[in-house]
Amino acid sequence: MELIKNWTDELRYLPYHEWTKEYQKFLEATIQHSQWRLGYHIQPKSGLLNDPNGFSYFNGKWQLFYQLYPMGPVHGVKSWAHISSENLVDWTFEGIALLPDSSFDRHGVYSGSGIVIEDELVLAYTGNVRDSDWQRKSYQMLARMNKAGEIKKDQRPMIPAPPQGYTHEFRDPQVFEYQENYWLLIGAQTETLEGKVLAYTGKSLETLHFAGSLNFTDQAMGFMVECPNLVFIDGKPVFLFCPQGLDKKIMNYQNIYPNAYIVADSFDTDSLSLVNPSSLANLDHGFDVYATQAFNAPDGRALAVSWVGLPEIDYPSDSEGWAHCLSLVKELQLKDGQLYQLPVKELIELRQERQSMDGKIFQQPLTLAEETTNCYEMHLDFSVDSQGKLHLYSDAQQDHSFIIDFDTKNGMISVDRSHVSNPFAQEYGTTRTLTIDKNEPLSLQIFVDHSVCEIFVNGGQAVLTARVFPNHEEKNVYLEGISGDFSADFWCLRNMKND
Ligand code: FRU
């Protein structure tokens, strides 16, 4: 048997039960030999994972779902896979929760969110259906999970069609409660091909009415907005969304599509406005974050998790029969009106023994960690006059590495993945650069997990996320440069427990 290389529409939309058991076994066996599987990130057992969905806390556990196509590393007919956790670190696979098996979702159970209402977790999602002319129809649907984990889809759509003037590019409902009403925000496109976010509201999810288009910017949001998410931090709205086709003059970005956010003063429900919105900012300055889902957790935190992957791009692990992962769970905070993203405190549980060192940055490369398992966390503090390069995923000859270039004098940090073996998506650039405050110390909290690296800059002021696909021998860490002092802490991390 061989992995499928020529994915036709017919194959991608074949119902799951029509795939042979042998093929599925072969796929899972092939993935066992992958060199890029992850230790403590959520990844698909086989096939393709994309957006996080239904992130919630229900029945004493964190509940999380994700878009899954299990039969190969392509965007085939999607379902919702379900995982749960007691600590946001170790996740148990609960199986496929929503299959694309009804007349309202047979070409894909698309993204959505979850809300606890009485003793049920109510899941809001988009049913994707192609008609006989292959035209898309989008239905906003509900399903309900009880405390025994049984899930039932509603028979009829909650919203059967987009409002007048909008196309069927209409998806990704975020459901939340605000001032004693339920709200749905949905990514949308006008018939004149403008990206919008539509709001529905009502006293119950069964009696929602169309309220209008959410006012969160005066600028054009490209041709489509996907995955809108409104959360409240210290009472202020923070709005995360994915505009497609956004003019780079509005926000500078290099990824095919960005994940953007704005912070506002308040949500005026009468005018459907986010009042006094900030300009658009990039949620992640790296290469691969998209479709971040955030929610206000019952413990008071605003938690977020992202898809680490992008639409319409091939990744090296495709050749191993799987694609993509989710990010670590991040806590969103506001400090002086600025958004901070921090890895949740629970992740400390992964740490093994600590190793520490400090010194000066010299031209001569200094090894910080040798022959690692590429499964570690590292904290680095640099003095105000630091100029240097930190190399992760380096081979012994120092020919290959992932380079983090930093210059605190001039206020710059950049990442370069072109020197890691198995480069990809090079047409979107191989470096990403971030401006930081000049003449300030710099701190980096770095998580490396085989083929993903998440870098939290200055206590979460900015994040850079990157997939990288090193060869086996690329596992050292070294530092070189011109000036500055540093101190470093290093922990090997254990794998997540996943059953
Ligand atoms: C974003 C997205 C969503 C859609 C889902 C389908 O990555 O395109 O808009 O619901 O993926 O898998």
Side-chain angles (χ1 to χ4, degrees), residues 326-453:
L326 296 185
S327 70
L328 297 173
V329 179
K330 297 168 272 199
E331 180 178 352
L332 305 181
Q333 293 180 355
L334 285 179
K335 289 184 195 161
D336 299 328
Q338 299 294 311
L339 184 70
Y340 280 69
Q341 303 173 66
L342 298 144
V344 285
K345 59 180 190 306
E346 286 88 338
L347 288 160
I348 289 175
E349 287 199 26
L350 292 171
R351 290 181 186 166
Q352 311 295 292
E353 209 177 301
R354 184 171 83 174
Q355 288 165 325
S356 300
M357 66 190 293
D358 51 36
K360 286 200 176 306
I361 301 169
F362 290 120
Q363 254 173 343
Q364 182 67 22
L366 174 69
T367 298
L368 300 187
E370 211 163 14
E371 299 274 312
T372 73
T373 52
N374 270 345
C375 194
Y376 58 83
E377 177 183 347
M378 196 157 81
H379 291 200
L380 287 135
D381 283 298
F382 297 106
S383 57
V384 287
D385 56 345
S386 296
Q387 289 180 318
K389 288 185 176 144
L390 176 70
H391 296 254
L392 311 176
Y393 297 102
S394 163
D395 54 353
Q397 300 74 31
Q398 302 184 340
D399 290 338
H400 296 276
S401 65
F402 177 73
I403 305 169
I404 305 174
D405 196 341
F406 54 91
D407 179 342
T408 58
K409 284 186 189 166
N410 293 301
M412 184 281 310
I413 170 164
S414 77
V415 289
D416 178 352
R417 65 178 176 186
S418 65
H419 303 287
V420 181
S421 294
N422 310 293
F424 67 105
Q426 288 171 295
E427 60 275 34
Y428 300 102
T430 54
T431 61
R432 295 289 184 271
T433 301
L434 169 73
T435 310
I436 52 174
D437 289 341
K438 282 185 191 166
N439 298 316
E440 291 287 335
L442 168 69
S443 84
L444 301 178
Q445 183 178 6
I446 301 173
F447 289 86
V448 164
D449 187 2
H450 303 283
S451 59
V452 64
C453 174

Side-chain angles (χ1 to χ4, degrees), residues 136 165-171 187-197 219-226 242-247 250 253 256-258 290 311-312:
R136 191 194 296 285
Y166 289 87
T167 73
H168 274 268
E169 301 296 330
F170 178 54
R171 55 181 172 267
Q189 179 182 63
T190 64
E191 280 170 355
T192 51
L193 305 188
E194 292 169 315
K196 295 283 176 197
V197 174
Q219 291 164 310
M221 290 295 103
F223 59 83
M224 170 69 188
V225 175
E226 295 188 319
C242 297
Q244 296 190 313
L246 182 76
D247 188 333
I250 296 174
Y253 65 96
I256 180 169
Y257 304 126
Y290 196 71
E312 298 168 38

Side-chain angles (χ1 to χ4, degrees), residues 50-51 67 78 110-111 171-172 226-227 290-291 307:
N50 59 304
D51 314 356
Q67 288 284 284
K78 298 286 170 64
Y110 276 8
S111 286
R171 55 181 172 267
D172 311 336
E226 295 188 319
C227 303
Y290 196 71
W307 172 26

Side-chain angles (χ1 to χ4, degrees), residues 251-267:
M251 184 183 90
N252 191 20
Y253 65 96
Q254 268 182 279
N255 296 352
I256 180 169
Y257 304 126
N259 201 159
Y261 73 91
I262 60 161
V263 179
D265 285 345
S266 58
F267 175 31

